[in-house]
Amino acid sequence: MDLISLLKKKKVKITEIPKWGTYLRKQWEDNFANHLDNREKQSIFLEDYLWHIFSYEKKNCLKDNQADIAFNKEGKKFCYVFYQHSNDALILENASLLNADDFSNEEDVYVVDKEFKWTYVRTHETGWCGPYFNRKEID
């Protein structure tokens, strides 16, 4: 089942926001990678994959099963969902039933709350790199 169908089944309110990917990726970088200078960002290929900040251990995070558990426990009233290589994005409301398993077929997907206080990332290398979870307070 694709993500949209799965979310609709859970009664999540979905607003598709095409062309927002660039904006949301920049916001994500500004909120989670703002401690790195441009040289450091280049050295970890951040422009290719934002999640490299976690795989290169430039930011603390929970990994693998711990990341899934933390994401599942997180309150999710309003979230953004966006992708590394797509400009399509989603706004999710009433997303409290959202869980890590919902993203098991997604690659290079980022989920963040409205204020960018936490993020959950599932990579195309899940099992080797990721999933990852970061909450700003755990840094």
Side-chain angles (χ1 to χ4, degrees):
M1 184 179 301
D2 73 320
L3 181 62
I4 301 263
S5 301
L6 193 65
L7 297 174
K8 284 181 179 177
K9 204 171 179 180
K10 290 187 171 197
K11 308 269 189 261
V12 174
K13 182 182 177 201
I14 304 161
T15 305
E16 295 185 46
I17 47 175
K19 301 181 183 163
W20 269 51
T22 302
Y23 170 77
L24 291 170
R25 285 189 296 275
K26 178 70 172 125
Q27 290 300 307
W28 195 97
E29 181 179 340
D30 289 349
N31 279 277
F32 295 101
N34 58 350
H35 62 292
L36 299 179
D37 63 30
N38 286 337
R39 186 186 56 73
E40 290 172 304
K41 289 176 183 179
Q42 288 173 348
S43 74
I44 64 169
F45 310 99
L46 193 72
E47 70 278 358
D48 296 331
Y49 294 100
L50 294 170
W51 55 262
H52 279 177
I53 196 163
F54 303 128
S55 62
Y56 280 85
E57 299 183 346
K58 299 294 184 182
K59 189 162 192 74
N60 291 331
C61 67
L62 298 173
K63 299 174 185 167
D64 307 315
N65 194 42
Q66 284 188 322
D68 290 342
I69 291 168
F71 177 67
N72 291 346
K73 288 181 179 177
E74 193 64 52
K76 295 175 281 290
K77 291 180 181 167
F78 184 109
C79 303
Y80 293 112
V81 175
F82 60 96
Y83 296 84
Q84 186 70 56
H85 300 293
S86 169
N87 282 325
D88 294 335
L90 304 171
I91 295 172
L92 306 182
E93 296 175 73
N94 304 321
S96 59
L97 297 178
L98 196 64
N99 65 55
D101 288 343
D102 297 338
F103 297 95
S104 61
N105 294 323
E106 303 297 307
E107 292 186 346
D108 302 319
V109 62
Y110 299 79
V111 184
V112 294
D113 68 305
K114 191 178 195 175
E115 291 86 24
F116 287 79
K117 290 182 181 173
W118 59 260
T119 187
Y120 175 76
V121 183
R122 187 168 283 266
T123 75
H124 67 274
E125 296 179 354
T126 289
W128 185 51
C129 291
Y132 300 110
F133 181 86
N134 173 275
R135 175 174 258 295
K136 285 186 177 179
E137 292 89 58
I138 67 171
D139 285 339

